[in-house]
Amino acid sequence: MKTKIIYIIFGLVFTLSSCELLNFDGPDAQFHGAIIDEETGDTIPQDIIDGSTIDYIEQGFEMPEIQRLIFKVDGTFRNNLMFSADYKMIPARGNFFTPDTLSIHINPGDNKHDFVVKPYARIKDVTPEIRALHGKNYLVVTFKIEQVATEPVKSTMLAVDKSPNVGRRINERFFERSINRVVDPDANQVLWLPLEYFTEGQEYYIRIGALMDVPEAKYNWNKAIKLDPYTLPMP
Amino acid sequence: MKKYSILLIIAFIGLFGCKDYLDLEPTNKISADDLFATEEGMQAFLANLYFQTPIEDFNWQAWYYQSFNFRSNNAGLFPITFTDEAINSEYDATNGGDWQFFWWDPGYRLNKDINMFFDVIPTLSLDDDAKDKLYGEACFLRAYTYFELAKLYGGVPIITKIGNPDDESTLYIPRSTEKETWDFILATLDTAIVKLGDDNTDKRRANKWVALALKSRVALHAASVAKYWDRAPLSGEAVDKKLVGGMTQADAQRYYESCIDASQRLIDSKEFALYMPAPANRDEAAENYRQMFKDPDIAPEEVIFIRGYTLQEHGHAFQLWGETNQTKESWPFAGRFNPLIEFVDQYETYSNPGHSAPVITTTDGDYNNYEGYNSSRNYLEFDNPLDIFADKDARLKASVILPMSNWKGQKIIIQGGIIKTDGTAIIEGAGQETVDGTTYYSFGAANPNLYSGFLHAATHTRSGFLVRKFLDEDFHPVAIWASCTSDWIEFRYAEILLNYIEAVAESGQGDASKAEQYLNDIRHRAGHTTNIPLTIENVQRERRVELAFENKRIWDLIRRREYHTEFNNRDRHALVPIFDIRSKKYIFVRQKVTGTNTWTFPERYYYKPIGGITTNRLIQNPQY
């Protein structure tokens, strides 16, 4: 009887204690912030799918893999499952001039960091309206492009969706127009879509983007505008 | 005392037990020495190398983690459905994400087997001539393997010896630059060309001409990447170290020259020619072309290299997936390959040679309107729906089953709707109207077994077209995966001509008048009589048309860096035949394929991610 109890105790000790050391600690840090235009102080709107990224490498490994954060459309980011450690970070392949690599220490708990960069371009004075042409109504958006990069503007894009995440890859309707020249910041640019594409009484989010002819560049967008195209003024 | 005797026995066994006679060779395996001791063993090993060789045939599955020789249920996701050639009626390849084709591990396993073969050749009891040929064959297989790796990954580790586990430097071999990798492949092929024999009666094994054909293809690929890298430049460590990209325009010119040289040698040899180069009429041209893909054995003058299939369980499934709904018999999974209208548009008309000829459906001629049927537009009306394609290049009807055309003695009914007598349209939905005792159905017939289109079932085409190329009218589907045994043409003379033509047009090297003549030779074989000039646009259109569904388009889009611009939020489109009951005529509507999403090809997909970089210590490709 006594030996049986001893066996049971041994058994319990082994089963209860043995798995402990094999477990690593889970993610213990949150990391969030935004990508900020160094001139205006505003966040730089982004694409969610195939948009700008923050590449980060956790230090202390021989062959580390590059990990990536993506942005929300408003230019903020958040990762609630980070490990506290030293990192090298770089916002890369985006709609802004790539800054230098940063060394960032992530502490356990909440960490906030804003990346201050120079965008390739800014979209200004976005004015949507209805115009008639050949007996057909169009949603017409005029806007201006303030170039920061000196390369030509490759294309402009009007994207429309019911979701505020509207962008190059998330849209119900889009019109992309080749430009391929440097543009005058005071010149009106224009993009349009037939009004019949939209349902009356439905609110849509529209965004205007300009893509600079820089390798791996992403679109520079305005902040999404919410509207029902049928209620727009008709000059 | 007893204890001691036990100890003695144990000591005896311990000391004398390690006798050689206990080292038995396994009886269920063949050792390398035995295998290579006989001619048959060596042939078996070589046959296995050919089997593993990345030939992009009917069993090439560029879908998820599948790769070559895939013989079970592949969902009909053949590579043609990842391009602008066709769409799969059941699974819509979206956002390029499905084009996840990895071949790192199988590629390097094959490379190890080829390295083993290289080691064995000198030990074989053969005469020097036979050894030379085997050496050439090994070079050919090595080049083929590295070609696939370079296409997928850019610069890769070049491993030509089997690694020694005790010597780290033979195990951790870093990536070569992309340029070094292409140069290595071309140099390996040069050796193969010298060593291989020039008898081409056996189309299933490498000879000098197959090696030249491969060189022509490899050099064109390398040249295109070098020339067009700037259309989709990438960044990162792999780019900085030139493991991907990093080639100059001078490199492009050099590779184009290699392509021209290899193609020219093959052309000048007069060993090959176009099959049936001068048809009496367009119908004959179409039939000749179709027959060649149905049975490549009838065209030895055009065919350079074949992947053959013999056994029913070890064939492929192209026709199982490709058969029309009306002719699928008891087989359940037909109708998957749906060619797109924008692909059909590429075929020239005989009356306007030298231009793609979009199918015009309305009097205003606006073929970019894909908004669906609109009663206020004026549609062109046809008594016979085939009339809308009447003037098109003969290869169209040889490659595509057009709406209401014949297949296996049946009229293949592909109809998407009706316009009722009151002017209402029923499109891609069930409906019918009886007028003067005749009932007209929206899909062209009363029940789904009697028609082949637009039911929104996987067995019915969504685009208005089905694939005809490669199909055999004598084949009856049976419920065995991989039961099709029609052979695959891996290299044919027309491709070599097209490679030559493209290299000349892109580089300005070579003989432009010859190139123009070759371009028109291919077109004359298709029933054209008017010559067209040599331009980059004409070359690419001819390539798309002549090599349709031959798994070439996907690489053309990649090597010329056109995928990301062709597939940038792209919709894919259908041609919907609609019967207007009022006029008793057919009209056609160009519209988006119902139920599909836009598709975008991200630029990082030009190279695939390398697996296991934390253990193999290699530098990863950009953006992975």
Side-chain angles (χ1 to χ4, degrees):
Chain A
M1 189 60 202
K2 199 175 162 192
T3 45
K4 247 186 200 170
I5 288 171
I6 288 168
Y7 280 137
I8 288 169
I9 288 169
F10 267 112
L12 283 174
V13 167
F14 277 119
T15 50
L16 292 178
S17 64
S18 58
C19 301
E20 200 118 310
L21 282 174
L22 297 175
N23 282 337
F24 291 106
D25 290 331
D28 58 350
Q30 297 95 48
F31 180 55
H32 62 100
I35 187 117
I36 305 281
D37 183 336
E38 65 173 23
E39 197 179 304
T40 65
D42 294 335
T43 58
I44 303 171
Q46 301 291 342
D47 269 311
I48 293 182
I49 302 178
D50 288 346
S52 317
T53 55
I54 301 169
D55 289 5
Y56 64 98
I57 299 171
E58 189 175 343
Q59 301 299 295
F61 293 90
E62 195 189 343
M63 289 294 297
E65 288 207 31
I66 299 173
Q67 304 180 72
R68 279 186 190 91
L69 278 170
I70 60 168
F71 290 97
K72 298 182 193 176
V73 275
D74 63 1
T76 62
F77 64 89
R78 171 174 279 283
N79 184 352
N80 284 343
L81 295 170
M82 292 275 284
F83 292 94
S84 54
D86 285 317
Y87 289 91
K88 292 242 189 271
M89 292 202 187
I90 184 168
R93 293 179 301 280
N95 50 13
F96 43 80
F97 289 90
T98 308
D100 292 336
T101 306
L102 293 167
S103 292
I104 292 179
H105 181 74
I106 302 284
N107 297 308
D110 190 67
N111 296 266
K112 184 175 188 300
H113 183 87
D114 288 340
F115 294 93
V116 179
V117 297
K118 196 196 281 186
Y120 286 145
R122 299 184 188 95
I123 308 295
K124 300 204 153 164
D125 303 337
V126 178
T127 316
E129 59 194 18
I130 305 289
R131 280 193 215 164
L133 184 72
H134 302 309
K136 207 167 158 184
N137 282 336
Y138 289 86
L139 164 66
V140 176
V141 185
T142 49
F143 58 98
K144 297 190 173 86
I145 303 170
E146 180 192 341
Q147 282 197 223
V148 183
T150 52
E151 282 83 356
V153 177
K154 201 174 187 178
S155 55
T156 55
M157 186 173 189
L158 163 63
V160 186
D161 199 81
K162 293 193 190 88
S163 140
N165 298 325
V166 58
R168 176 174 167 245
R169 295 280 302 279
I170 301 175
N171 57 62
E172 267 178 34
R173 294 283 184 176
F174 73 94
F175 174 38
E176 192 170 23
R177 198 179 175 193
S178 283
I179 305 292
N180 293 321
R181 61 187 158 78
V182 176
V183 300
D184 177 353
D186 296 321
N188 269 329
Q189 309 294 325
V190 64
L191 289 166
W192 60 89
L193 280 167
L195 191 60
E196 65 192 4
Y197 286 179
F198 307 103
T199 316
E200 208 168 341
Q202 169 74 49
E203 293 213 301
Y204 292 89
Y205 291 88
I206 69 167
R207 285 218 286 177
I208 295 292
L211 179 65
M212 308 304 291
D213 198 356
V214 178
E216 300 182 301
K218 305 295 184 292
Y219 267 94
N220 284 94
W221 298 99
N222 68 326
K223 288 201 165 63
I225 299 172
K226 187 180 181 186
L227 53 82
D228 174 358
Y230 286 85
T231 63
L232 288 171
M234 204 169 152
Chain B
M1 189 61 208
K2 198 179 169 190
K3 257 187 197 166
Y4 287 116
S5 49
I6 289 172
L7 277 176
L8 269 175
I9 292 168
I10 290 171
F12 184 80
I13 294 173
L15 287 170
F16 302 101
C18 301
K19 280 287 175 194
D20 287 345
Y21 64 79
L22 290 174
D23 293 340
L24 292 177
E25 287 290 332
T27 53
N28 61 342
K29 288 180 181 155
I30 299 170
S31 71
D33 291 342
D34 290 343
L35 181 68
F36 295 114
T38 64
E39 178 76 13
E40 291 76 17
M42 204 268 308
Q43 297 278 5
F45 185 79
L46 195 51
N48 180 269
L49 293 185
Y50 273 94
F51 175 73
Q52 293 182 67
T53 297
I55 294 171
E56 291 163 352
D57 60 2
F58 296 116
N59 287 330
W60 175 40
Q61 291 308 310
W63 178 55
Y64 288 118
Y65 294 92
Q66 307 166 6
S67 57
F68 296 95
N69 299 313
F70 193 86
R71 295 207 199 91
S72 51
N73 182 353
N74 60 22
L77 280 162
F78 286 72
I80 56 172
T81 62
F82 297 100
T83 67
D84 45 10
E85 290 187 319
I87 192 167
N88 181 291
S89 55
E90 189 173 20
Y91 298 108
D92 175 20
T94 51
N95 296 331
D98 296 328
W99 157 234
Q100 287 176 6
F101 170 42
F102 304 119
W103 197 63
W104 187 266
D105 287 359
Y108 276 98
R109 270 201 295 278
L110 170 57
N111 184 55
K112 191 204 79 186
D113 288 355
I114 292 169
N115 287 342
M116 196 201 284
F117 189 56
F118 268 104
D119 288 348
V120 159
I121 294 169
T123 67
L124 296 172
S125 50
L126 293 168
D127 62 55
D128 285 350
D129 189 44
K131 279 185 188 174
D132 258 11
K133 278 188 183 167
L134 284 179
Y135 189 85
E137 213 162 1
C139 286
F140 169 80
L141 295 169
R142 176 182 274 170
Y144 223 121
T145 307
Y146 277 94
F147 178 39
E148 195 69 36
L149 290 168
K151 281 193 291 185
L152 292 169
Y153 303 101
V156 294
I158 292 167
I159 303 173
T160 55
K161 286 269 175 284
I162 292 181
N164 175 6
D166 298 326
D167 180 0
E168 268 211 356
S169 69
T170 66
L171 299 178
Y172 293 104
I173 296 174
R175 294 175 69 179
S176 296
T177 65
E178 178 158 1
K179 184 175 149 182
E180 285 163 358
T181 306
W182 289 118
D183 288 343
F184 167 74
I185 299 167
L186 291 170
T188 307
L189 278 169
D190 285 337
T191 312
I193 291 161
V194 172
K195 301 262 184 187
L196 281 165
D198 53 9
D199 175 22
N200 74 51
T201 44
D202 183 357
K203 303 283 188 189
R204 288 159 171 75
R205 207 170 155 178
N207 53 49
K208 181 177 169 180
W209 314 112
V210 186
L212 278 167
L214 180 58
K215 190 181 172 191
S216 162
R217 191 187 280 175
V218 170
L220 186 66
H221 195 109
S224 313
V225 174
K227 181 173 180 184
Y228 291 117
W229 163 269
D230 284 340
R231 285 181 173 175
L234 297 159
S235 68
E237 193 183 359
V239 179
D240 297 341
K241 295 188 171 160
K242 300 186 175 180
L243 306 181
V244 295
M247 294 181 282
T248 63
Q249 291 309 310
D251 293 322
Q253 287 293 333
R254 187 164 57 83
Y255 294 135
Y256 280 126
E257 192 190 341
S258 274
C259 173
I260 290 168
D261 172 61
S263 312
Q264 189 71 64
R265 279 181 68 185
L266 204 140
I267 295 163
D268 288 347
S269 74
K270 309 281 183 210
E271 293 275 335
F272 300 93
L274 288 174
Y275 173 64
M276 302 285 185
N281 55 53
R282 293 167 194 175
D283 285 339
E284 197 184 296
E287 191 55 17
N288 291 342
Y289 181 81
R290 191 182 73 82
Q291 291 285 350
M292 177 166 62
F293 298 101
K294 180 190 141 188
D295 181 9
D297 286 344
I298 64 168
E301 65 269 52
E302 171 139 3
V303 170
I304 299 171
F305 190 47
I306 279 180
R307 164 67 67 89
Y309 307 89
T310 317
L311 300 172
Q312 227 185 21
E313 296 81 10
H314 296 85
H316 58 86
F318 193 87
Q319 191 161 353
L320 294 176
W321 294 111
E323 196 59 75
T324 77
N325 180 58
Q326 284 161 266
T327 54
K328 71 185 190 313
E329 300 174 38
S330 61
W331 172 254
F333 310 119
R336 282 345 193 241
F337 311 133
N338 306 167
L340 301 169
I341 182 61
E342 47 265 55
F343 165 74
V344 172
D345 287 345
Q346 292 300 315
Y347 288 81
E348 296 169 52
T349 54
Y350 289 105
S351 53
N352 186 21
H355 304 276
S356 63
V359 175
I360 303 295
T361 60
T362 52
T363 51
D364 62 14
D366 179 6
Y367 55 83
N368 285 315
N369 184 330
Y370 291 108
E371 294 303 320
Y373 176 72
N374 179 341
S375 59
S376 66
R377 296 184 80 194
N378 291 318
Y379 290 92
L380 300 173
E381 297 182 322
F382 298 88
D383 289 316
N384 176 355
L386 285 171
D387 287 348
I388 197 169
F389 313 106
D391 194 30
K392 280 233 172 211
D393 191 309
R395 288 169 289 184
L396 175 62
K397 61 178 175 181
S399 305
V400 174
I401 293 178
L402 300 165
M404 316 299 168
S405 62
N406 283 311
W407 173 242
K408 289 188 171 178
Q410 281 196 53
K411 184 163 134 186
I412 301 304
I413 296 173
I414 297 173
Q415 182 181 319
I418 45 173
I419 313 281
K420 293 173 51 168
T421 41
D422 63 3
T424 55
I426 302 173
I427 294 167
E428 295 197 65
Q432 63 191 68
E433 185 177 32
T434 306
V435 179
D436 303 332
T438 311
T439 304
Y440 300 94
Y441 297 94
S442 56
F443 294 122
N447 94 54
N449 289 331
L450 302 176
Y451 58 85
S452 298
F454 295 107
L455 181 66
H456 295 185
T459 44
H460 292 65
T461 174
R462 287 166 184 263
S463 71
F465 304 102
L466 289 157
V467 169
R468 189 189 293 267
K469 202 172 184 177
F470 304 117
L471 299 198
D472 178 355
E473 59 271 38
D474 301 322
F475 176 82
H476 295 280
V478 288
I480 301 172
W481 292 117
S483 58
C484 310
T485 52
S486 56
D487 292 342
W488 171 263
I489 308 176
E490 178 58 9
F491 287 104
R492 62 186 177 101
Y493 187 62
E495 187 203 336
I496 306 306
L497 294 179
L498 285 162
N499 292 351
Y500 179 88
I501 297 161
E502 181 175 337
V504 170
E506 296 282 343
S507 72
Q509 305 179 67
D511 186 333
S513 63
K514 263 190 193 168
E516 191 170 307
Q517 182 208 321
Y518 298 151
L519 173 66
N520 287 300
D521 285 350
I522 298 171
R523 295 175 65 260
H524 290 172
R525 194 252 297 262
H528 287 277
T529 48
T530 315
N531 284 355
I532 60 170
L534 180 76
T535 63
I536 289 175
E537 191 195 341
N538 282 345
V539 172
Q540 289 307 315
R541 187 185 54 252
E542 189 59 28
R543 237 186 123 82
R544 288 182 71 176
V545 166
E546 176 67 24
L547 303 178
F549 311 136
E550 292 179 43
N551 289 343
K552 302 295 180 288
R553 177 67 181 158
I554 202 160
W555 292 118
D556 291 352
L557 287 166
I558 286 173
R559 69 185 167 84
R560 299 178 61 80
R561 295 295 191 260
E562 287 172 353
Y563 227 139
H564 71 292
T565 40
E566 284 289 330
F567 284 87
N568 176 16
N569 280 316
R570 183 194 184 123
D571 275 324
R572 281 144 301 156
H573 300 114
L575 184 72
V576 187
I578 292 168
F579 188 69
D580 190 335
I581 300 171
R582 298 168 301 185
S583 60
K584 306 279 189 295
K585 288 176 195 290
Y586 286 92
I587 62 166
F588 291 86
V589 174
R590 297 172 70 101
Q591 65 173 46
K592 183 181 152 180
V593 179
T594 307
T596 57
N597 296 314
T598 58
W599 185 11
T600 298
F601 184 90
E603 291 169 25
R604 66 174 179 278
Y605 280 139
Y606 283 122
Y607 295 99
K608 300 286 159 194
I610 292 171
I613 55 155
T614 47
T615 47
N616 61 23
R617 304 182 190 172
L618 297 175
I619 294 165
Q620 185 58 282
N621 275 333
Q623 299 183 45
Y624 291 108

